[in-house]
Amino acid sequence: TNNIRHHHHWNKSSLTMSASARQGRGGGVGTGNDRPKNRWTTVTIRLCAIAILIRMFLDAPQPELDKDALFQLVATSHIASSPLKNSSAPLEGILVAITGATSGIGLGVTEELFQMGATVVAIGRSPTKLADLASQLLQENDEPDRFIPVLADLNDLASVSKAANEMLKSRNIKHIDFLINNAGMHYGTSALLKPDNPKTQQGHDQVFGVNYLSHFLLTEKLIPLLKKSPHGGRIIQVSSSFHWLSNGLQLETTSTERKGLVEPAPYASRGNAGTFMHKLQSYPNSKLAQILHTRSLNAEFARKNKKLKAVSLCPSWVGTSIGGNGIGSRLLKLFAYPSSGYGKLVVFNAMFDPLWTTTTTTGNEKDDFFISNELFESLPHAVLGENSFLNDWFRQSLFRDGVVWIIASSVLFTQKFFPSQLIAKSSPESYNTTLQDSLFVWSKDAVSGWI
């Protein structure tokens, strides 16, 4: 009897367990049905958390321009009188010539300079924009003698030469304290995809001509006015950390044969190349050329005009119109430094920072390249610098382009969290004195007809 009862109890338990198991597998009312619900709840919570983080990331404010610190930088720089003639206008009596003054960084810098009492020579190609800028500035401060508009089309060396001649003859421009070579451009998507190559009036690659060669000519023409500065003339080249994309080979001036043409000119300068890669490299080539020009000038000044000095800079990502009207422009508005605020600070550091304005520059020192984010120095040098763990093949191949773009994209999305102003080292190629000297000689010859 006990055996029968025990056997019956065992069967009953087995049946109960089997029923529970069936409920779990069959989607009954048991605990098994709660698992999908729990999974969806977890996914929803995670998505909400990610959405909140993205919202916080997008809403994080840009670093602000400290006007008091900027005023102090100017007031204690090499140009300041002691004591200041006018405490509310520390740049009274200082004359600054700037290209691209009507938009982007140039506009932001022009507004700030004018507010600080400087006389501004605004160089631009649009008479309408120059007139609008004059109205804007003179509304706040009715001193028309402190705003001097100059028309110049940087796409045409003849126009640049004419503008420089007007400045040299002007009774209102007795000297230049600062020349800021700021204007710039790059090819948009449509220009990159077209088979032809946009050219300057003289037949050079348009980006190379506008960004580099026109400023080379302008600088050469205005050196006499820079020499007359009582403080020592300063030349500010607005370059870019995208110069890391150029290995310098397309700036070499030795005669090379390409597409059946033999020309003793840098491949980067040629308006007849017409290839996608040539146009893609045009911007970094022009920016590397600007840095090489800076060092050539400093080497020449060290020999002949010790009062004159040049410096180049990278403003990092700044919200300007250079990105066009597509997705690039929208990304710049979201993440880039504002051109009317923190984005222009690096220009003032390059103009007034005592670390370089009070030292003798030989042309190859570290103190002539200003940046707004230290990642643009540390990361490229770690991967592509002279002491990189990579061999030369990686540093000269398309791998280099990918690394630079990854670094640049990372900086775009994070720079507002880590703003920094510092003097940095540029790419190893930018210290190549052979390249520097040969490009300088070729450039002088290329603009000689308009000197």
Side-chain angles (χ1 to χ4, degrees):
T1 304
N2 289 337
N3 289 339
I4 292 171
R5 286 176 180 170
H6 178 72
H7 181 69
H8 175 72
H9 177 73
W10 180 85
N11 283 338
K12 186 176 181 180
S13 299
S14 299
L15 290 170
T16 303
M17 291 172 65
S18 298
S20 298
R22 283 195 301 272
Q23 281 184 339
R25 287 194 301 269
V29 187
T31 57
N33 193 48
D34 293 336
R35 291 172 186 166
K37 291 182 179 178
N38 290 339
R39 281 197 297 271
W40 280 114
T41 301
T42 302
V43 169
T44 303
I45 291 172
R46 288 176 179 173
L47 288 174
C48 288
I50 292 171
I52 292 169
L53 288 173
I54 291 174
R55 186 73 262 174
M56 291 173 63
F57 182 77
L58 294 175
D59 290 344
Q62 289 284 354
E64 294 185 0
L65 179 67
D66 188 336
K67 291 293 186 80
D68 292 334
L70 179 57
F71 184 93
Q72 187 66 21
L73 173 68
V74 173
T76 57
S77 71
H78 69 291
I79 56 90
S81 57
S82 182
L84 286 175
K85 295 177 183 177
N86 187 339
S87 59
S88 64
L91 292 179
E92 182 181 5
I94 299 300
L95 191 142
V96 182
I98 178 171
T99 63
T102 58
S103 63
I105 297 173
L107 175 60
V109 170
T110 297
E111 292 171 338
E112 201 69 45
L113 291 168
F114 197 78
Q115 288 173 12
M116 288 187 172
T119 297
V120 179
V121 179
I123 304 169
R125 63 176 178 170
S126 169
T128 302
K129 288 184 178 181
L130 286 171
D132 290 344
L133 177 57
S135 299
Q136 174 194 330
L137 296 177
L138 297 177
Q139 264 184 347
E140 301 170 5
N141 195 327
D142 190 17
E143 297 180 69
D145 290 343
R146 290 203 296 110
F147 182 79
I148 305 172
V150 174
L151 276 174
D153 182 1
L154 300 186
N155 195 48
D156 183 3
L157 294 178
S159 176
V160 174
S161 182
K162 181 182 177 183
N165 287 337
E166 289 176 8
M167 294 168 66
L168 289 164
K169 296 174 184 176
S170 173
R171 294 180 180 178
N172 296 322
I173 306 176
K174 294 180 172 59
H175 69 272
I176 293 177
D177 297 293
F178 295 95
L179 170 61
I180 306 176
N181 292 324
N182 163 73
M185 63 169 292
H186 70 81
Y187 293 131
T189 306
S190 59
L192 286 172
L193 296 177
K194 288 179 180 177
D196 59 330
N197 204 113
K199 302 175 186 178
T200 67
Q201 290 296 315
Q202 286 69 41
H204 298 109
D205 173 84
Q206 189 176 46
V207 168
F208 184 86
V210 169
N211 294 0
Y212 169 67
L213 204 55
S214 64
H215 286 123
F216 186 98
L217 172 61
L218 185 66
T219 301
E220 287 292 307
K221 296 275 289 184
L222 296 182
I223 281 179
L225 287 173
L226 287 159
K227 286 181 182 178
K228 293 179 181 179
S229 168
H231 308 287
R234 301 289 188 263
I235 299 162
I236 315 297
Q237 306 267 29
V238 180
S239 182
S240 168
S241 288
F242 271 112
H243 78 275
W244 278 90
L245 283 169
S246 174
N247 59 20
L249 295 179
Q250 294 185 6
L251 295 175
E252 292 179 352
T253 58
T254 53
S255 297
T256 53
E257 186 173 350
R258 294 180 186 274
K259 292 191 173 181
L261 299 172
V262 179
E263 298 176 283
Y267 185 58
S269 73
R270 299 176 189 176
N272 57 12
T275 67
F276 175 81
M277 289 305 298
H278 177 271
K279 288 182 281 188
L280 195 64
Q281 285 290 110
S282 60
Y283 184 78
N285 280 331
S286 69
K287 293 303 171 181
L288 176 57
Q290 282 186 293
I291 298 174
L292 292 167
H293 183 207
T294 298
R295 300 204 169 115
S296 292
L297 286 171
N298 282 329
E300 192 168 82
F301 295 157
R303 293 190 300 269
K304 299 178 182 178
N305 303 291
K306 294 186 183 297
K307 287 179 64 179
L308 302 184
K309 291 179 183 176
V311 65
S312 53
L313 64 89
C314 168
S316 195
W317 292 99
V318 179
T320 68
S321 58
I322 197 170
N325 298 316
I327 188 171
S329 177
R330 290 192 286 272
L331 284 173
L332 288 178
K333 286 180 180 178
L334 274 175
F335 298 105
Y337 295 143
S339 60
S340 59
Y342 192 82
K344 62 187 175 185
L345 178 57
V346 67
V347 179
F348 287 90
N349 278 324
M351 292 172 72
F352 302 112
D353 191 297
L355 287 178
W356 79 271
T357 58
T358 58
T359 58
T360 301
T361 306
T362 64
N364 285 304
E365 294 180 4
K366 183 182 177 179
D367 62 348
D368 65 353
F369 186 61
F370 284 73
I371 61 175
S372 288
N373 193 294
E374 61 183 326
L375 291 178
F376 268 139
E377 180 188 32
S378 56
L379 293 181
H381 277 286
V383 183
L384 301 170
E386 292 177 334
N387 298 320
S388 166
F389 61 90
L390 297 172
N391 62 33
D392 288 341
W393 184 88
F394 281 103
R395 294 203 297 271
Q396 303 301 336
S397 67
L398 288 175
F399 175 83
R400 176 192 186 114
D401 295 9
V403 168
V404 174
W405 272 107
I406 290 171
I407 292 172
S409 301
S410 302
V411 171
L412 171 62
F413 296 120
T414 60
Q415 66 177 16
K416 64 180 176 180
F417 300 103
F418 310 104
S420 54
Q421 299 283 324
L422 64 153
I423 306 173
K425 288 192 70 175
S426 47
S427 70
E429 291 82 4
S430 66
Y431 294 92
N432 184 333
T433 54
T434 302
L435 180 62
Q436 168 189 306
D437 294 343
S438 64
L439 182 63
F440 189 73
V441 170
W442 174 85
S443 301
K444 269 201 166 185
D445 183 64
V447 303
S448 60
W450 296 271
I451 290 294

